[in-house]
Amino acid sequence: MKLKIAIQKSGRLFEDSVKLLKECGIDLNNGSKSGVLRTEASNFPLEVLFLRDDDIPQYVEDAVADIGIVGENVLLEKGKVVNKVEQLGFGKCRLAIAVPKSEEYTGAKWLDGKKIATSYPKILDGFLKAQKVDAEIHEISGSVEIAPGIGLADAICDLVSSGSTLFMNGLKEVEVILKSEALLISNKKLSDDKEALLKKLLFRVQAVKKAKRNKYILLNAPNERLEAIINILPGMKSPTVLPLAQSGWSSVHSVVQEDDFWNIIENLKAQGAQGILVVPIEKMIV
Ligand code: ATP
Ligand code: ZN
């Protein structure tokens, strides 16, 4: 028995999805190179299906795949019934409304009576209803950003990451209607065996995610400052403190979070810490 996972066959989620599996210690036999549409892991009971991202929610709902990796934007748009298992921290983007730069956008009411081009009619409709705006949704499947320029629409609703595509097409972002990232999703009714495999995979995914957010830190501390230095370090439980060969000094090891990392380093230096080493963590199990 194998757990079947659907991932994007090529595109923005493909590489990160394969990388995540690899970081979870799962080796795929032949990747998705050269048009292979399915493969098996050599060291985990996992079968990988490579699909268009738009099809993944449906396949997971229908149990053709047990689990899948897909952007929250696609999941919401398709409206399929699946479980959201975990946010994966990659594929970050936003679904935004953009209008021609020259327009003076005064708020959602500006959209009243306008024509909006999008590949996300369902999510857009939800937004417009919530804002009590009556606009016409014009569904197109690609190159949405050129629609205003060719007179097809007054505004667009599309995915944005840096905004450079909008800029190049003479548009400006005026509303963010969804912030999205890749999600691990699962079928609602997995067998107990598959549920157990998913749990095993999820445990690994969480360890990988956690490790990315943390760094291992080693430093030398003068003993008289040891207490002050230990107080700066949050650590998983408490830091490891080992005596150095040079008397009066100790080596301190701990784990710090990326977010407050630079503040911690500055405080440590101010307290007399020396020889500070910061090392990436590969997996973190707490
Ligand atoms: P497919 O051929 O699988 O249908 P696609 O062209 O629909 O591919 P991609 O452009 O590869 O899809 O994007 C896949 C997902 O990556 C998006 O649905 C979204 O969740 C995420 N994503 C992240 N950043 C961006 C971005 N800047 N633009 C578009 N999508 C992004
Ligand atoms: Zn797609």
Side-chain angles (χ1 to χ4, degrees):
M1 198 260 320
K2 285 184 195 294
L3 191 66
K4 278 189 255 177
I5 185 169
I7 66 175
Q8 195 188 19
K9 121 175 136 258
S10 66
R12 289 184 152 101
L13 300 180
F14 167 74
E15 270 175 32
D16 284 325
S17 302
V18 171
K19 187 163 131 240
L20 176 66
L21 293 177
K22 202 176 165 68
E23 287 168 339
C24 289
I26 296 172
D27 295 325
L28 304 186
N29 287 331
N30 44 13
S32 87
K33 302 281 173 329
S34 63
V36 179
L37 296 183
R38 71 205 279 175
T39 188
E40 291 186 357
S42 52
N43 55 358
F44 194 92
L46 189 75
E47 184 177 337
V48 185
L49 310 179
F50 299 100
L51 300 167
R52 281 200 60 197
D53 67 343
D54 310 67
D55 297 332
I56 291 176
Q58 176 87 60
Y59 277 76
V60 172
E61 186 186 80
D62 296 344
V64 174
D66 303 306
I67 61 175
I69 296 178
V70 70
E72 184 165 18
N73 53 308
V74 172
L75 182 64
L76 284 175
E77 183 60 31
K78 301 295 172 189
K80 300 294 170 193
V81 183
V82 298
N83 285 337
K84 284 191 206 176
V85 181
E86 184 82 4
Q87 296 187 312
L88 297 175
F90 60 82
K92 288 193 176 165
C93 57
R94 52 192 190 275
L95 186 62
I97 293 180
V99 302
K101 262 184 243 162
S102 54
E103 295 292 342
E104 198 173 316
Y105 184 83
T106 45
K109 278 285 162 209
W110 183 92
L111 297 164
D112 242 328
K114 299 281 197 319
K115 200 166 171 183
I116 311 172
T118 188
S119 314
Y120 293 87
K122 187 167 165 166
I123 300 176
L124 176 59
D125 188 50
F127 170 80
L128 294 175
K129 287 213 168 89
Q131 299 286 326
K132 300 196 167 50
V133 169
D134 191 18
E136 186 189 335
I137 298 175
H138 186 75
E139 184 177 352
I140 47 180
S141 60
S143 307
V144 173
E145 64 283 352
I146 65 166
I150 59 174
L152 200 64
D154 306 298
I156 66 162
C157 169
D158 201 10
L159 291 179
V160 184
S161 54
S162 69
S164 59
T165 310
L166 291 183
F167 186 80
M168 284 187 307
N169 285 283
L171 301 169
K172 61 179 178 187
E173 187 176 339
V174 292
E175 301 273 358
V176 173
I177 69 176
L178 174 75
K179 284 195 170 150
S180 178
E181 67 181 91
L183 298 179
L184 182 65
I185 58 171
S186 79
N187 177 267
K188 283 264 176 198
K189 292 194 198 108
L190 289 185
S191 67
D192 290 351
D193 288 354
K194 288 190 169 176
E195 197 67 61
L197 283 177
L198 172 57
K199 233 176 132 184
K200 202 166 154 178
L201 177 64
L202 184 60
F203 177 77
R204 297 189 188 188
V205 168
Q206 285 168 342
V208 169
K209 269 178 67 181
K210 208 164 176 86
K212 283 195 182 142
R213 275 186 270 120
N214 290 272
K215 300 270 180 255
Y216 195 72
I217 182 164
L218 305 95
L219 58 89
N220 296 332
N223 284 347
E224 68 273 13
R225 296 284 180 75
L226 208 47
E227 208 182 313
I229 286 177
I230 288 172
N231 281 335
I232 298 169
L233 292 167
M236 280 204 279
K237 286 213 170 67
S238 58
T240 308
V241 180
L242 302 164
L244 285 184
Q246 188 183 348
S247 74
W249 285 79
S250 300
S251 165
V252 179
H253 302 194
S254 189
V255 172
V256 297
Q257 283 219 353
E258 188 100 77
D259 322 339
D260 40 44
F261 174 75
W262 288 109
N263 279 331
I264 290 176
I265 300 287
E266 276 165 28
N267 293 339
L268 290 170
K269 280 182 65 182
Q271 286 298 332
Q274 293 184 5
I276 303 174
L277 288 183
V278 178
V279 188
I281 299 172
E282 198 177 280
K283 309 282 188 298
M284 190 162 154
I285 292 120
V286 287

